Amino acid sequence: LTYADRAESAADRAEGYANGVFNIKTNTIAEMEALTPINGDVCFVKDLDRGGIFIYDSTKVAEDNQGTNFNGWIRQYSGAVNVKWFGAKGDGVTDDTTAFTKATNSSIVIPSGTYKITTNVTLNGEVEFLLGGMLSTTSAIITFNNKIKAPLNKIFNVSAYTSIVVAKTKQQIGYPEWFGAIPNNGSSNCTPAINNCIKVFDVTEFQSNDYYCFFFFFFCFIFKIIQCNISNTLIIFLYFIRIIYY
């Protein structure tokens, strides 16, 4: 990598950045970190998962978090951070716990993929799951201290409901689909997903669909469903939502 196109002054570099001109380009974060930059250098990293636009600030070297700051290279962005910026793979095999831990105090976006979590993680910012994004764990506890935004598909692949903890003052409503319920499918048993959702969230919200269940709920679960504010009476509740037992 060379500095043939490096701007000669901070003012020139700022003007170049404003006009979409980057005086350094690299393929990877590692290549960018190997540079010997000067203050104000602007680097464009091409990597699809971790790339972006970075400006070097030598006063921020000690704040390195391997996601938005790489040894003084400051990522230029607004809004939530992407967990892939911090090294998450989302392949269902790689342990992505460290990436989530580094982003724990930010609002985060979880792109499509299965993210394996092996030790307890607390997410303090708002969390948005993009279509196909899912957290997977067999033993860890994932705590959400803020709002959850997600489409109506599976976002929690857990062996027990105790793996998901939510701040109910921030996120009261949950959906069986988040735990894997597939409505309007006679071969899909929705009971485990519904039970998990009821145990985790104060309010379980159903859609106007058929939810097929192959065995009965416990009485306390039925009571909680009736109280979930889907409708004012049990009759109206059953009109909009049919839970079909086998």
Side-chain angles (χ1 to χ4, degrees), residues 14 94 109 116 144 173-174 229 234:
T94 303
V109 171
K116 183 179 179 181
F144 296 82
I173 300 175
N229 298 328
L234 180 58

Side-chain angles (χ1 to χ4, degrees), residues 4-7 9-25 40-44 53-55 76:
D5 296 325
R6 184 195 298 279
S9 69
D12 289 339
R13 288 193 293 273
E15 181 180 358
Y17 171 63
N19 292 328
V21 178
F22 317 107
N23 62 322
I24 304 172
K25 294 182 181 180
D41 273 343
V42 181
C43 183
F44 172 64
I53 301 169
F54 299 82
I55 297 180
Q76 304 303 296

